Each structure stands twice: as C-alpha cells, then as structure tokens.
Amino acid sequence: MLELRLVQGGLLKKVLDSLKDLVNDANFDCSATGFSLQAMDSSHVALVALLLRSEGFEHYRCDRNLSLGMNLSNMAKMLKCAGNDDIVTIKADDAADSVTFMFESPNQDKIADFDMKLMDIDSEHLGIPEAEFQAIVRMPSAEFARICKDLSTIGDTVVISVTKEGVKFSTRGDIGTANIVCRHNTSVDKPEEATIIEMEETVSLTFALRYMNSFTKATPLANQVTISLSSDLPVVVEYKVAEMGHIRFYLAPKIEE
Amino acid sequence: RGIQRNITEFYRST
C-alpha cells in the first residue's frame, strides 16, 4: 500500500512539466526515503534524477518498495486537472496495475480522483558516484533559461567555460557568434538574484542546446539553478524542489570531431 | 558540431 499526500500539489505539476518533454516513460520508485525517479531520454544523451524526500509529504505511507511505471505525458495530463493550490494524494496498492491521483481543493469543497493505468517499463538504472567538480555555478534560473533560449536562436551547441573572469556561454552558427559572460555577483538585493561561482580549476565543455533548453522547463520550480562542471564529465544542472528534494539533469558533453 | 557522447559511457549500470 502506497499513500503519499502532498499539500503543495502544484509542485508535482511543475515537476511533471519539467520531465515530460525529455522522458516518455519512467519508473517512479517509492521507498522509505522518498519518491524518486531516474530516467534517460530516448537517445541516452541526458539523464534525469528526481528525489522528493518522504519528510516533505504531509503523509507518507509506503509499506514496501514499489516501482510505478508511468507514461509521463499521460501523468502530466492527469496532473494538469489539479488546481495549483490543490492537495495531491498518490495512491497505489502493492500489486496494482493502476495508480490513483486524488486532488482536494484547499477548502475541501472539491475532491477529484483520477485513475491512471500503470505500465511495465524495462529501464536501465545507472550508478552516479558523488563527484568533486572543477567548477560550480549558482545563478538565477530565469537568467540561465534566457541565455539558453537566446543562444539557441544562433547556434546548436553551447560552450560553457568557467574562469576567474566568470562563466561564459558561447555559441556559433551560420549567422555569427555570441558570447555571454556572467560574473560572480553577491551584491544583490535578494539572495536568489546572486551569481556565485566556485572554481577549483578552469573548465570548458560543449553541450547540445536542445537538451539545455529542455532542462530549463524546470525553471518554475526554483529561483536558482546550480550548474556543476568537470572536464570530460556530464554537466549536472540542478533545481531544488522546495525544501523537499531536487531534480538533477545530467548531460553528456560533445567532443571535437 | 562535435560528436555527442552517450550518458551511459560515464556511469555504470546498477
């Protein structure tokens, strides 16, 4: 028996909106730790890892570890039917072939339940070791989204370089080139407007902008994004999910031909 | 531009 009650149901809507274009089907794993997911995009270039810790739910009952295979676009369709302020409860029996999403309006005057068929998904799970990164950039998530969107109108790839000068996002295309430099800046009115660059070593990596733009669908989840870089490793683009967890996107770099 | 690497090249299967 699984029963997870999330008062901030809107968070789950935002999580699904940030996943559904990248991944078609995925297993949601429920354990005492929390509600999690790891999935790759269909071309196995990017990976997403979601964790919503059990403490973040108002009620979290998970009698035994369960893996719920769901089509994310169908799940997103169902969650779209919840109000942004609704309380969302996810329910499933141990041997269930469906999952129930229950939506309660904040003043309890409307209660809806949606039942979605589960599916068997044979997915590969990857072990991701904790890594020390050469550079970690924290910046406003909207700024990062803007940069990815702007650069993708000019080129297909972005070179992200971190030096003492700051973090530079560069692209080139048929019509020309573009470089955007963001400097370390903590003298801002609000902490979420800060850009914090921690650098052990300079690093420069090339990534496909198509994936970066897909990751930025998570922008409504968090004011800040963390971009962790090391030479010859996938970049990690992380958005916090309130105080209860995170969504991390891993993207393999491109190499020179 | 460049050759796209695969994410599975970096992490082992569990």
Side-chain angles (χ1 to χ4, degrees):
Chain A
M1 175 76 187
L2 170 92
E3 196 169 286
L4 318 179
R5 183 176 157 94
L6 184 64
V7 173
Q8 287 176 273
L11 281 180
L12 206 57
K13 287 165 69 94
K14 289 178 187 169
V15 164
L16 259 293
D17 283 341
S18 63
L19 295 175
K20 68 176 166 56
D21 293 339
L22 189 66
V23 178
N24 298 325
D25 306 315
N27 285 314
F28 281 85
D29 297 309
C30 312
S31 71
T33 315
F35 192 59
S36 66
L37 168 149
Q38 191 202 80
M40 281 184 273
D41 78 293
S42 57
S43 51
H44 291 194
V45 168
L47 180 144
V48 57
L50 165 75
L51 173 66
L52 302 176
R53 283 184 288 271
S54 51
E55 307 89 81
F57 292 83
E58 190 206 23
H59 170 72
Y60 192 94
R61 178 180 169 187
C62 175
D63 297 341
R64 65 179 188 92
N65 291 359
L66 260 187
S67 194
L68 305 174
M70 302 199 224
N71 173 285
L72 297 191
S73 103
N74 291 345
M75 187 180 175
K77 280 181 198 167
M78 296 226 161
L79 289 170
K80 274 221 156 45
C81 302
N84 286 330
D85 302 324
D86 279 3
I87 299 162
V88 173
T89 303
I90 303 169
K91 286 198 262 192
D93 289 325
D94 281 352
D97 57 3
S98 70
V99 59
T100 302
F101 301 107
M102 193 172 92
F103 310 142
E104 296 167 69
S105 63
N107 60 4
Q108 307 281 317
D109 62 350
K110 180 177 165 191
I111 295 169
D113 59 86
F114 288 69
D115 210 45
M116 189 179 82
K117 289 175 195 157
L118 292 173
M119 53 200 292
D120 283 323
I121 298 163
D122 191 18
S123 66
E124 186 180 2
H125 201 270
L126 300 179
I128 303 164
E130 286 291 319
E132 293 283 321
F133 291 97
Q134 289 169 342
I136 298 176
V137 177
R138 288 184 183 81
M139 64 188 292
S141 59
E143 183 64 49
F144 178 62
R146 172 75 199 261
I147 289 169
C148 292
K149 183 165 160 270
D150 286 350
L151 294 186
S152 63
T153 64
I154 292 158
D156 296 329
T157 60
V158 59
V159 179
I160 306 179
S161 311
V162 184
T163 64
K164 331 194 267 301
E165 308 305 317
V167 55
K168 183 167 78 170
F169 302 88
S170 310
T171 195
R172 60 172 62 232
D174 293 341
I175 63 165
T177 62
N179 295 292
I180 300 169
V181 177
C182 298
R183 292 207 168 88
H184 183 87
N185 178 17
T186 52
S187 53
V188 287
D189 294 339
K190 297 175 195 154
E192 62 262 31
E193 290 166 358
T195 297
I196 298 164
I197 299 169
E198 292 169 27
M199 189 193 77
E200 297 290 329
E201 272 179 81
T202 60
V203 58
S204 181
L205 287 160
T206 304
F207 301 101
L209 274 166
R210 184 164 74 84
Y211 290 97
M212 286 293 181
N213 270 315
S214 173
F215 303 164
T216 62
K217 299 270 163 64
T219 304
L221 280 168
N223 290 322
Q224 286 255 311
V225 61
T226 304
I227 304 158
S228 303
L229 299 142
S230 271
S231 297
D232 202 39
L233 271 185
V235 62
V236 188
V237 178
E238 177 177 325
Y239 297 84
K240 296 279 181 219
V241 181
E243 299 298 309
M244 68 185 299
H246 58 248
I247 182 161
R248 288 182 185 147
F249 298 99
Y250 298 79
L251 177 60
K254 297 185 93 168
I255 46 173
E256 296 296 321
E257 278 178 79
Chain B
R1 281 167 207 281
I3 299 161
Q4 177 62 63
R5 297 187 68 183
N6 200 309
I7 197 84
T8 51
E9 291 174 40
F10 297 93
Y11 305 123
R12 67 188 166 72
S13 270
T14 57

